[in-house]
Amino acid sequence: MKDTLLEIKDLNVIYKTYEGTVAAVNGVDFALDRGKTLGLVGESGAGKTTTALSIMGLVPSPPGIIQRGRVTFAGQDLLTLPEKDMKKIRGNRISMIFQDPMTSLNPVLSVGLQISEALVAHQNLSEAEAERKAAEMLEKVQIPGARYREYPHEFSGGMRQRVVIAMALACNPRLIIADEPTTALDVTIQAQVLELMRSLKEEFATAMIMITHDLGVVGEVCDDVAVMYAGRIVEMGSLDQIFGNAMHPYTLGLFRCIPDIEEESSTIHPIEGLMPEPLDLPKGCPFHPRCPQCMEVCRQVVPEACEDNGHRVLCHLFGGGERRA
Amino acid sequence: MLRYFTKRLIFLIPVLLGVSIVIFAIVHLAPGDPAEVMLGPSATQEDIGKLREQLGLTKPLYVQYWIFLTNALKGDLGRSIKSNAPVLEEILERFPATLTLASLGMLFAITVGLPLGVLAALKQNTWVDALCSFFALVGFSIPNFWVGLMLMLLLSITIPILPSSGFDSWKNLIMPTIVLGIQTMAVIARMTRSSMLEVIRQDYVRTARAKGISDRLVLTRHILTNVMIPVVTIAGIYFGHSLGGVVITETIFSIPGLGRLIVDAIRAQDYPVVQGGVLFFALCVGIVNLLVDLLYAVLDPRIKAQYRSAK
Ligand SMILES: Nc1ncnc2c1ncn2[C@@H]1O[C@H](COP(=O)(O)OP(=O)(O)OP(=O)(O)O)[C@@H](O)[C@H]1O
Ligand SMILES: [Mg+2]
């Protein structure tokens, strides 16, 4: 790793609820280089958003507790950083795009104000300068700057998400975390927004974590891929490694889930069963109840990561760097 | 937008018409004869008859109502039976005291209730929250006449620092303001708390935090503006409600306001004053509701847009 921007080591996050303790993130490890895009994929409840919020220092507390781990961003340990300094990073050097554009903008404030806020907070701009810059950002996401004073309800879903993107890019951050930025949009708009994000990412030379459960999106925009299951990264590697040589049974299952348009029959092969309740994870490998290649050891022992040329997998089928099955 | 409000203003007319019919009916169908009251027990049947004639009380009710209505539209609410002064004049003379009291009560309710609710929500499930909620519950539950009497007992008699009646200095206003505002205060505090808890977990608040702006800005700009919308609704409703409290408050503290005027008029069977006073109250409530709607448009651009498109 020559030019590491973000490094997460052994991150553990739990939520303490009335029903019990939810182990949302269980020892996540990954690193991201400057300017690169990492795809974080996984089913609903895998802990993707929680991982992202941990980086932002925004895990809701209560009920969330970051138990263990290190998040190093440009040499700084974010988890031990005082809130005051964290505020200088949030929205400035790391910014986040949230899932639902319909609810992530404040309905009673103009979009222009919502974009300029970060500029005023981080770049010491006067209100007027911030306003000009915010209008410029609007233009960047293909919305006329003249609509600066309009309110979120005056925009369509796709435009709102573009406003959110403008907001996230306003201070030219080093890292953008996009949490399912296109899930709530319809397919044609999804493509537009993705294309926009990709071109802006290039223009601003920003690193990005793209959270999604859509492998198609990953294939289009990511350099690296991390597959998350029940709070763990079960497989990680470059785009080619994952798309060309997926190893973990869960990853293979995910690929089988993509409907193949070329194929005549439209059978999808979903992974059997549901992700375990994070309230009580099964003993051993958390995927074993659904795994088609489950072995005896899988029921008893949590697998250790094994890595080969940057391709990491967390499965008993693979040990010592070579395939056993 | 102006058109929307003109329309709303016009809609006030049927409301006032309805109120006028109801109050007219109640006053005129109630037992008791104003002519008898005016002349006293020693009057002869003949004198009473003559006076009834003069007052127009012998005409059929619907004719009487028509006369009342057409005069009222011209701003003439008749003359007081007791003082013979024009009713409108009497009302306008008493109105400033009532307006002052009602406004102060509302001001008290908001300046105490809002921070209390915000505090309770920010310290959710702590003793601070419990204390605020308890305070709000008490404020809401105890009848305001009792609050008035207890305050008077405490602050005018046991520790005589405030005058118990009259309307000459700011000191006279303190207790009535509390009595009038306490229930609205409690309602606002509770509404603010629940609205805060709702807004705090909205996505847009998280978005705001993710921008790295100060906590104070998140609270005032992103949270409170949204919290205010339901709070204003409830405050508007309770403002009308608290006008009822004006009657009690003015009576307890002998404040020469509109409420007292009406109560005294009812006792004296001075029906033109009762009619006129109630109608005036109804007009006030209507106007306050309109102002609340206007405030909505200021607070919420979505509502403003609705007003615009509503022709
Ligand atoms: N505020 C919270 N309180 C309690 N539990 C929570 C909270 N937020 C998340 N969780 C739980 O933590 C686990 C991980 O949630 P998270 O939101 O990180 O998943 P995700 O991968 O982002 O899922 P999705 O694709 O649905 O967004 C889930 O089981 C979820 O129920
Ligand atoms: Mg999520």
Side-chain angles (χ1 to χ4, degrees):
Chain A
M1 300 273 145
K2 339 103 237 164
D3 204 9
T4 310
L5 177 68
L6 177 79
E7 190 171 23
I8 298 186
K9 276 246 174 294
D10 193 28
L11 182 68
N12 282 270
V13 186
I14 57 166
Y15 291 104
K16 276 209 146 67
T17 66
Y18 289 114
E19 289 91 55
T21 302
V22 178
V25 174
N26 307 303
V28 160
D29 279 296
F30 68 81
L32 177 65
D33 288 353
R34 280 177 206 279
K36 291 281 192 247
T37 300
L38 170 75
L40 193 57
V41 273
E43 274 168 275
S44 190
K48 306 178 299 285
T49 301
T50 306
T51 304
L53 291 176
S54 307
I55 301 169
M56 295 293 287
L58 284 176
V59 173
S61 166
I65 300 167
I66 297 182
Q67 281 185 311
R68 247 183 308 136
R70 258 212 326 272
V71 175
T72 317
F73 173 79
Q76 266 178 312
D77 185 357
L78 298 188
L79 295 185
T80 55
L81 212 59
E83 171 64 18
K84 181 168 71 57
D85 298 319
M86 198 60 212
K87 278 205 170 70
K88 289 184 195 142
I89 291 179
R90 245 182 246 141
N92 185 24
R93 306 192 56 212
I94 308 179
S95 56
M96 187 155 172
I97 297 170
F98 292 97
Q99 181 163 351
D100 188 352
M102 300 318 256
T103 57
S104 55
L105 289 170
N106 192 326
V108 305
L109 302 176
S110 73
V111 296
L113 177 70
Q114 295 188 60
I115 296 171
S116 67
E117 261 181 338
L119 292 162
V120 172
H122 299 299
Q123 304 200 336
N124 267 326
L125 297 185
S126 69
E127 301 272 334
E129 286 168 323
E131 189 177 321
R132 201 180 40 74
K133 180 91 192 288
E136 227 171 71
M137 287 311 300
L138 275 179
E139 298 276 356
K140 278 240 184 298
V141 295
Q142 295 151 18
I143 293 172
R147 300 191 66 177
Y148 179 91
R149 263 167 240 293
E150 290 183 20
Y151 292 92
H153 72 266
E154 294 167 88
F155 295 88
S156 69
M159 287 174 108
R160 286 190 210 191
Q161 197 59 310
R162 300 213 295 266
V163 169
V164 175
I165 293 169
M167 229 159 72
L169 284 171
C171 293
N172 194 3
R174 294 295 84 220
L175 173 64
I176 293 181
I177 305 171
D179 189 357
E180 307 194 27
T182 56
T183 307
L185 306 173
D186 66 55
V187 183
T188 42
I189 308 291
Q190 274 186 13
Q192 285 173 19
V193 169
L194 266 185
E195 185 46 45
L196 180 74
M197 285 184 70
R198 189 163 51 181
S199 71
L200 288 176
K201 184 193 118 47
E202 294 298 317
E203 185 183 335
F204 286 74
T206 312
M208 183 154 81
I209 296 176
M210 170 67 87
I211 298 175
T212 177
H213 47 240
D214 185 345
L215 282 170
V217 171
V218 173
E220 261 170 68
V221 295
C222 298
D223 303 303
D224 294 312
V225 187
V227 180
M228 213 168 163
Y229 186 81
R232 289 183 177 80
I233 291 186
V234 294
E235 182 162 10
M236 181 167 174
S238 69
L239 188 69
D240 290 341
Q241 284 168 337
I242 301 294
F243 275 58
N245 183 26
M247 293 160 83
H248 197 284
Y250 178 64
T251 315
L252 292 168
L254 281 184
F255 278 109
R256 272 200 298 278
C257 285
I258 306 176
D260 197 336
I261 310 168
E262 321 252 300
E263 223 169 85
E264 277 297 303
S265 70
S266 61
T267 40
I268 309 171
H269 308 278
I271 307 172
E272 301 261 319
L274 292 172
M275 204 179 68
E277 273 297 315
L279 272 172
D280 59 332
L281 290 175
K283 228 180 127 193
C285 171
F287 186 59
H288 87 253
R290 300 168 73 186
C291 184
Q293 303 176 55
C294 177
M295 303 177 292
E296 197 43 46
V297 60
C298 304
R299 291 183 228 276
Q300 306 298 333
V301 186
V302 180
E304 296 272 327
C306 69
E307 193 173 326
D308 175 26
N309 195 17
H311 188 168
R312 195 174 70 196
V313 62
L314 206 71
C315 179
H316 286 300
L317 289 172
F318 313 98
E322 58 187 280
R323 292 182 89 131
R324 260 207 271 150
Chain B
M1 191 124 141
L2 194 67
R3 256 165 85 190
Y4 173 81
F5 281 98
T6 320
K7 202 175 109 190
R8 284 289 312 267
L9 216 53
I10 292 169
F11 272 154
L12 255 179
I13 294 171
V15 173
L16 290 176
L17 218 59
V19 172
S20 74
I21 292 174
V22 171
I23 186 62
F24 184 87
I26 291 174
V27 165
H28 285 263
L29 297 177
D33 185 344
E36 262 174 54
V37 175
M38 281 170 84
L39 295 172
S42 59
T44 63
Q45 211 47 46
E46 200 181 324
D47 288 341
I48 290 171
K50 242 194 237 159
L51 188 62
R52 288 178 61 93
E53 196 89 34
Q54 249 177 24
L55 292 172
L57 294 176
T58 49
K59 294 189 182 113
L61 262 190
Y62 66 88
V63 177
Q64 287 185 49
Y65 174 72
W66 183 249
I67 294 170
F68 165 65
L69 187 67
T70 44
N71 283 340
L73 285 179
K74 285 181 259 168
D76 174 11
L77 292 171
R79 280 172 179 275
S80 160
I81 291 177
K82 211 167 79 186
S83 68
N84 202 32
V87 171
L88 190 64
E89 216 167 81
E90 294 221 333
I91 288 173
L92 291 179
E93 191 188 316
R94 300 292 196 97
F95 184 56
T98 300
L99 186 67
T100 312
L101 199 57
S103 312
L104 283 177
M106 201 34 122
L107 195 70
F108 167 76
I110 293 171
T111 48
V112 178
L114 200 68
L116 218 56
V118 170
L119 194 68
L122 290 180
K123 306 265 174 203
Q124 193 195 0
N125 298 335
T126 64
W127 64 270
V128 180
D129 182 19
L131 195 70
C132 290
S133 300
F134 175 75
F135 197 54
L137 191 69
V138 168
F140 184 72
S141 314
I142 49 179
N144 51 8
F145 75 86
W146 192 79
V147 177
L149 294 177
M150 287 304 118
L151 278 178
M152 209 187 265
L153 202 63
L154 182 69
L155 299 176
S156 302
I157 297 169
T158 314
I159 325 166
I161 45 170
L162 293 175
S164 67
S165 67
F167 198 68
D168 328 298
S169 84
W170 61 268
K171 280 186 174 172
N172 288 108
L173 289 169
I174 295 175
M175 287 193 288
T177 297
I178 295 173
V179 172
L180 195 59
I182 194 161
Q183 265 188 14
T184 314
M185 180 278 286
V187 171
I188 288 179
R190 290 169 67 171
M191 192 69 211
T192 305
R193 179 180 179 273
S194 62
S195 177
M196 278 284 292
L197 293 178
E198 174 74 28
V199 171
I200 277 177
R201 54 183 187 77
Q202 294 296 315
D203 285 353
Y204 55 78
V205 173
R206 190 170 62 176
T207 311
R209 292 225 164 85
K211 272 184 261 188
I213 57 178
S214 71
D215 293 342
R216 218 192 55 214
L217 215 51
V218 172
L219 180 67
T220 53
R221 188 186 276 171
H222 288 269
I223 298 178
L224 282 185
T225 44
N226 284 284
V227 164
M228 282 312 285
I229 296 167
V231 171
V232 163
T233 314
I234 217 83
I237 293 170
Y238 265 78
F239 191 78
H241 189 95
S242 77
L243 282 181
V246 160
V247 177
I248 296 168
T249 313
E250 289 179 355
T251 310
I252 297 177
F253 294 100
S254 314
I255 294 165
L258 203 50
R260 266 266 308 281
L261 180 73
I262 294 175
V263 171
D264 290 347
I266 292 172
R267 284 212 190 98
Q269 296 192 4
D270 191 346
Y271 72 89
V273 175
V274 177
Q275 274 171 190
V278 171
L279 206 58
F280 193 82
F281 257 129
L283 182 70
C284 291
V285 174
I287 288 174
V288 166
N289 282 342
L290 204 63
L291 289 178
V292 168
D293 279 2
L294 206 69
L295 198 56
Y296 271 155
V298 174
L299 289 174
D300 192 339
R302 288 163 298 185
I303 292 176
K304 196 181 199 166
Q306 268 175 32
Y307 288 174
R308 279 223 189 89
S309 56
K311 299 278 163 60

CSV table of all heavy atoms in Angstrom, one decimal, chain A residues 123-140:
chain,number,residue,atom,x,y,z
A,123,GLN,N,-14.7,26.8,4.8
A,123,GLN,CA,-13.8,27.5,3.9
A,123,GLN,C,-13.8,29.0,4.3
A,123,GLN,O,-13.2,29.8,3.5
A,123,GLN,CB,-14.1,27.3,2.5
A,123,GLN,CG,-14.1,25.9,2.1
A,123,GLN,CD,-14.0,25.6,0.6
A,123,GLN,OE1,-14.3,26.5,-0.2
A,123,GLN,NE2,-13.5,24.5,0.3
A,124,ASN,N,-14.4,29.4,5.4
A,124,ASN,CA,-14.3,30.8,5.8
A,124,ASN,C,-14.8,31.7,4.8
A,124,ASN,O,-14.4,32.8,4.7
A,124,ASN,CB,-12.9,31.2,6.2
A,124,ASN,CG,-12.7,31.0,7.7
A,124,ASN,OD1,-13.7,31.2,8.5
A,124,ASN,ND2,-11.6,30.6,8.1
A,125,LEU,N,-15.7,31.3,3.9
A,125,LEU,CA,-16.3,32.1,2.9
A,125,LEU,C,-17.3,33.0,3.5
A,125,LEU,O,-18.0,32.6,4.5
A,125,LEU,CB,-16.9,31.3,1.8
A,125,LEU,CG,-16.0,30.4,1.0
A,125,LEU,CD1,-16.7,29.8,-0.2
A,125,LEU,CD2,-14.8,31.2,0.4
A,126,SER,N,-17.5,34.2,3.0
A,126,SER,CA,-18.6,35.0,3.4
A,126,SER,C,-19.9,34.4,2.8
A,126,SER,O,-19.8,33.6,1.9
A,126,SER,CB,-18.5,36.5,2.9
A,126,SER,OG,-18.6,36.5,1.5
A,127,GLU,N,-21.1,34.9,3.3
A,127,GLU,CA,-22.3,34.3,2.8
A,127,GLU,C,-22.4,34.5,1.3
A,127,GLU,O,-22.8,33.6,0.6
A,127,GLU,CB,-23.5,35.0,3.5
A,127,GLU,CG,-23.5,34.9,5.0
A,127,GLU,CD,-24.2,33.6,5.5
A,127,GLU,OE1,-25.1,33.1,4.7
A,127,GLU,OE2,-23.9,33.1,6.6
A,128,ALA,N,-22.0,35.7,0.8
A,128,ALA,CA,-22.2,36.0,-0.6
A,128,ALA,C,-21.2,35.1,-1.5
A,128,ALA,O,-21.7,34.5,-2.5
A,128,ALA,CB,-21.8,37.4,-0.9
A,129,GLU,N,-20.0,34.9,-1.0
A,129,GLU,CA,-19.1,34.1,-1.8
A,129,GLU,C,-19.6,32.6,-1.8
A,129,GLU,O,-19.5,32.0,-2.8
A,129,GLU,CB,-17.7,34.1,-1.1
A,129,GLU,CG,-16.9,35.4,-1.4
A,129,GLU,CD,-15.7,35.5,-0.5
A,129,GLU,OE1,-15.8,35.1,0.7
A,129,GLU,OE2,-14.7,36.0,-0.9
A,130,ALA,N,-20.0,32.2,-0.6
A,130,ALA,CA,-20.5,30.8,-0.5
A,130,ALA,C,-21.7,30.6,-1.4
A,130,ALA,O,-21.9,29.6,-2.1
A,130,ALA,CB,-20.9,30.5,1.0
A,131,GLU,N,-22.5,31.7,-1.5
A,131,GLU,CA,-23.7,31.6,-2.4
A,131,GLU,C,-23.3,31.4,-3.9
A,131,GLU,O,-23.8,30.6,-4.6
A,131,GLU,CB,-24.5,32.8,-2.2
A,131,GLU,CG,-25.9,32.8,-2.9
A,131,GLU,CD,-26.7,34.0,-2.7
A,131,GLU,OE1,-26.7,34.5,-1.5
A,131,GLU,OE2,-27.4,34.5,-3.6
A,132,ARG,N,-22.3,32.2,-4.2
A,132,ARG,CA,-21.8,32.1,-5.6
A,132,ARG,C,-21.2,30.7,-5.9
A,132,ARG,O,-21.5,30.1,-6.9
A,132,ARG,CB,-20.7,33.2,-5.8
A,132,ARG,CG,-20.5,33.6,-7.3
A,132,ARG,CD,-19.5,34.6,-7.4
A,132,ARG,NE,-18.3,34.4,-6.5
A,132,ARG,CZ,-17.4,33.5,-6.7
A,132,ARG,NH1,-17.4,32.7,-7.7
A,132,ARG,NH2,-16.4,33.4,-5.9
A,133,LYS,N,-20.4,30.2,-4.9
A,133,LYS,CA,-19.8,28.9,-5.1
A,133,LYS,C,-20.9,27.8,-5.1
A,133,LYS,O,-20.7,26.9,-5.9
A,133,LYS,CB,-18.8,28.7,-3.9
A,133,LYS,CG,-18.1,27.4,-3.9
A,133,LYS,CD,-16.8,27.5,-4.6
A,133,LYS,CE,-16.1,26.1,-4.9
A,133,LYS,NZ,-15.6,25.5,-3.7
A,134,ALA,N,-21.9,28.0,-4.3
A,134,ALA,CA,-22.9,27.0,-4.2
A,134,ALA,C,-23.7,26.9,-5.6
A,134,ALA,O,-24.0,25.8,-6.1
A,134,ALA,CB,-23.9,27.3,-3.1
A,135,ALA,N,-23.9,28.1,-6.1
A,135,ALA,CA,-24.6,28.1,-7.4
A,135,ALA,C,-23.7,27.4,-8.5
A,135,ALA,O,-24.2,26.7,-9.3
A,135,ALA,CB,-24.9,29.6,-7.8
A,136,GLU,N,-22.4,27.6,-8.4
A,136,GLU,CA,-21.5,27.0,-9.2
A,136,GLU,C,-21.6,25.5,-9.1
A,136,GLU,O,-21.6,24.7,-10.1
A,136,GLU,CB,-20.1,27.4,-8.8
A,136,GLU,CG,-19.2,27.9,-9.9
A,136,GLU,CD,-17.9,28.5,-9.3
A,136,GLU,OE1,-17.1,27.7,-8.8
A,136,GLU,OE2,-17.8,29.7,-9.4
A,137,MET,N,-21.7,25.0,-7.9
A,137,MET,CA,-21.8,23.6,-7.6
A,137,MET,C,-23.1,23.0,-8.2
A,137,MET,O,-23.1,21.9,-8.8
A,137,MET,CB,-21.8,23.2,-6.1
A,137,MET,CG,-20.4,23.4,-5.4
A,137,MET,SD,-19.1,22.6,-6.3
A,137,MET,CE,-19.6,20.9,-6.3
A,138,LEU,N,-24.1,23.8,-8.2
A,138,LEU,CA,-25.4,23.4,-8.8
A,138,LEU,C,-25.2,23.1,-10.3
A,138,LEU,O,-25.6,22.2,-10.8
A,138,LEU,CB,-26.5,24.4,-8.5
A,138,LEU,CG,-27.3,24.3,-7.2
A,138,LEU,CD1,-28.3,25.4,-7.1
A,138,LEU,CD2,-27.9,22.9,-7.1
A,139,GLU,N,-24.5,24.1,-10.9
A,139,GLU,CA,-24.2,24.0,-12.3
A,139,GLU,C,-23.4,22.7,-12.6
A,139,GLU,O,-23.7,22.0,-13.6
A,139,GLU,CB,-23.4,25.2,-12.8
A,139,GLU,CG,-24.2,26.5,-12.7
A,139,GLU,CD,-25.1,26.8,-13.8
A,139,GLU,OE1,-25.2,26.0,-14.8
A,139,GLU,OE2,-25.8,27.9,-13.8
A,140,LYS,N,-22.5,22.4,-11.7
A,140,LYS,CA,-21.7,21.2,-11.9
A,140,LYS,C,-22.5,19.9,-11.9
A,140,LYS,O,-22.2,19.0,-12.6
A,140,LYS,CB,-20.7,21.1,-10.7
A,140,LYS,CG,-19.4,21.9,-10.9
A,140,LYS,CD,-18.2,21.0,-10.9
A,140,LYS,CE,-16.9,21.8,-11.0
A,140,LYS,NZ,-16.8,22.6,-12.2
